Amino acid sequence: MGRAEQAVEVCLMAGEQMIKYGAETYRVEDTMRRMAEASGMKHVHSFVTTTGIFLSVQTKDEVDVMQMTRVNERYQDLRKVTEVNQVSREYVFGELDLEDVKKRLQEISKAPMSYPMWLIVLASGTGGAAFSYLIGQSVIDMGPAFLGGIVTMLSLVIFQRHIGGKFFSEFLAAFFGGVTALVLVQLGFGSNIDQVIIGTMIPLVPGIPLTNSVRDLMSGDLVAGVSRGAEAAITSLSIAGGVALALSIFLT
Amino acid sequence: MWLELLLCFIATAAFGIIFNVPLRLVWIGGLIGIIAWFVYAYMPTLQVSPVFSAAIAAFTAAFFGHLLARRLRVPVTTFAIPGIIPLVPGGRAYNTMLSFVEEDYLGGLELGAETLLQAGAIAAGLVFALSLFSMRKGVAERYETKRS
């Protein structure tokens, strides 16, 4: 494989990692363009959507190279985005060569999440409890919201591992979180069911697709923006459906 | 009020951890969340409508997010996403869903419109900060004014 193909491959690797872990489309396109230009390519065109990345360049010998990558899975891990961003910055400033970049990108891709799963589950409970206080200003509701947030995140992780299917797992997680909240309030913990359920559901809010969708639409990446907006909308509907199911079982 | 701001910091930092923001940046996201919440909670006391205060709060959060992201050389998403979490219209969204479950479709539509308006206001705030920081880069223009 020639040097040019290798450079294109490394650019695509960086782009794939960024889109996979939740970067904005314009940042991915910009990073890939800068990296390709730093490797001496001309006529660089990068086109990024939420599910696939295209890069076409012309090498120094005036040979056209075009490659694409499919992005199948998307996670939320902003630390990896930050790290890939740093690597590409160092490469563009000439502090790293292509081999180093490839090695660093492979390390980032193999690295585990920056926080252990139990901490994320705990953070979900804490965030739920704090948010339920912000909405209702009642300290009693924080306990059940904490437990509900933990159940929601735990069931999301478990269902995603064993069932797969992003939206269905979110639906089930919302359902089980809602049931936990309703049972706890029925047993006499917490005073206001609404605040408890809101606190329980808040860890599921699709923050990254939502924000990135707005960002993408406004910087002119219409295809990526609409697809991310659709992702966020379906996630919100799954959550609403899960809670609605739990509520209608308990209300009747 | 101090308890509220403290809890807001905790909520935002917790969301930083949920989104896997690096530990050295989590507390900055928390501070941005506090600022956004302060603006969002205390604008209505000045007779400003909740939707407009959400827009201003989102703008403030995104503005500081961009400023710090530029200084620390990290993607702005690291600060902006946890920072706007306190503004998410969770209560209204929940009440919308509740109205539909109780078959009060008219009330549900009303609340749904309010929810969408507030979400749109947050988006507008984000976009306004983005346009301030991408000034002169020419994002999606209508006329080719650079050619003379």
Side-chain angles (χ1 to χ4, degrees):
Chain A
M1 192 161 57
R3 204 190 120 73
E5 279 93 349
Q6 209 180 355
V8 171
E9 195 199 322
V10 168
C11 293
L12 277 175
M13 254 173 89
E16 190 197 348
Q17 304 245 346
M18 290 184 94
I19 206 87
K20 195 170 165 184
Y21 293 113
E24 317 97 294
T25 304
Y26 102 92
R27 183 180 303 283
V28 181
E29 283 182 353
D30 200 49
T31 304
M32 281 167 51
R33 186 180 53 76
R34 277 169 203 258
M35 283 176 77
E37 277 171 1
S39 335
M41 308 293 177
K42 285 178 289 183
H43 302 293
V44 179
H45 292 282
S46 62
F47 175 60
V48 173
T49 69
T50 321
T51 47
I53 301 173
F54 304 80
L55 180 67
S56 132
V57 299
Q58 196 177 49
T59 64
K60 282 172 198 148
D61 320 323
E62 307 216 322
V63 182
D64 287 309
V65 181
M66 149 121 203
Q67 285 189 22
M68 73 152 294
T69 305
R70 174 86 165 102
V71 183
N72 283 317
E73 293 153 319
R74 285 179 303 286
Y75 307 101
Q76 42 189 33
D77 193 335
L78 293 178
R79 185 193 61 136
K80 291 195 172 182
V81 175
T82 318
E83 281 179 1
V84 176
N85 194 49
Q86 187 59 34
V87 170
S88 80
R89 204 179 271 274
E90 283 170 21
Y91 177 64
V92 170
F93 287 128
E95 293 162 13
L96 292 175
D97 65 12
L98 215 52
E99 287 297 315
D100 293 337
V101 175
K102 198 172 176 183
K103 211 183 287 166
R104 287 272 295 273
L105 287 177
Q106 277 164 347
E107 273 167 22
I108 294 173
S109 140
K110 282 198 196 110
M113 289 187 299
S114 42
Y115 303 111
M117 207 56 232
W118 61 265
L119 186 61
I120 293 180
V121 170
L122 210 63
S124 147
T126 316
F131 201 87
S132 84
Y133 180 83
L134 288 183
I135 283 188
Q137 261 97 35
S138 93
V139 185
I140 320 161
D141 290 335
M142 285 173 69
F146 179 76
L147 278 179
I150 285 182
V151 169
T152 310
M153 193 51 97
L154 258 185
S155 42
L156 179 72
V157 173
I158 291 170
F159 286 128
Q160 260 176 356
R161 188 172 297 161
H162 295 294
I163 302 181
K166 186 172 179 293
F167 301 123
F168 189 56
S169 322
E170 278 158 352
F171 172 80
L172 286 177
F175 174 70
F176 281 101
V179 167
T180 314
L182 283 159
V183 166
L184 282 173
V185 174
Q186 296 261 320
L187 289 179
F189 305 99
S191 56
N192 193 333
I193 182 66
D194 300 352
Q195 283 145 32
V196 176
I197 288 192
I198 294 164
T200 304
M201 288 311 129
I202 209 78
L204 291 178
V205 167
I208 291 183
L210 210 62
T211 323
N212 281 344
S213 155
V214 175
R215 233 357 238 276
D216 290 351
L217 285 174
M218 287 307 144
S219 45
D221 302 313
L222 301 178
V223 176
V226 170
S227 61
R228 283 210 227 236
E231 193 184 351
I234 298 175
T235 299
S236 317
L237 284 180
S238 312
I239 299 169
V243 185
L245 186 62
L247 272 175
S248 42
I249 289 175
F250 269 77
L251 287 182
T252 48
Chain B
M1 177 185 141
W2 289 110
L3 181 63
E4 217 174 293
L5 291 183
L6 178 71
L7 281 169
C8 182
F9 179 83
I10 292 174
T12 319
F15 269 91
I17 289 174
I18 291 177
F19 293 134
N20 268 306
V21 171
L23 199 60
R24 65 190 166 95
L25 303 174
V26 164
W27 65 277
I28 302 179
L31 290 185
I32 291 177
I34 286 188
I35 297 173
W37 176 259
F38 185 80
V39 174
Y40 178 58
Y42 291 94
M43 283 294 270
T45 55
L46 307 172
Q47 317 297 319
V48 180
S49 74
V51 171
F52 190 58
S53 14
I56 294 190
F59 169 74
T60 322
F63 182 83
F64 283 108
H66 275 281
L67 215 62
L68 289 165
R70 206 164 263 204
R71 171 150 289 194
L72 298 169
R73 299 185 182 283
V74 290
V76 63
T77 352
T78 349
F79 302 130
I81 294 180
I84 58 161
I85 283 288
L87 310 177
V88 168
R92 286 208 180 84
Y94 170 78
N95 286 330
T96 308
M97 189 227 35
L98 199 62
S99 310
F100 279 117
V101 170
E102 287 166 347
E103 297 187 352
D104 173 16
Y105 298 121
L106 215 56
L109 283 179
E110 194 183 319
L111 283 163
E114 268 180 35
T115 313
L116 281 181
L117 263 181
Q118 188 167 345
I122 296 173
L126 282 177
V127 165
F128 192 53
L130 170 69
S131 347
L132 268 188
F133 277 87
S134 56
M135 234 180 223
R136 304 197 57 80
K137 276 190 201 156
V139 176
E141 291 171 31
R142 187 172 283 208
Y143 297 110
E144 269 190 304
T145 45
K146 279 168 201 151
R147 200 168 286 183
S148 55

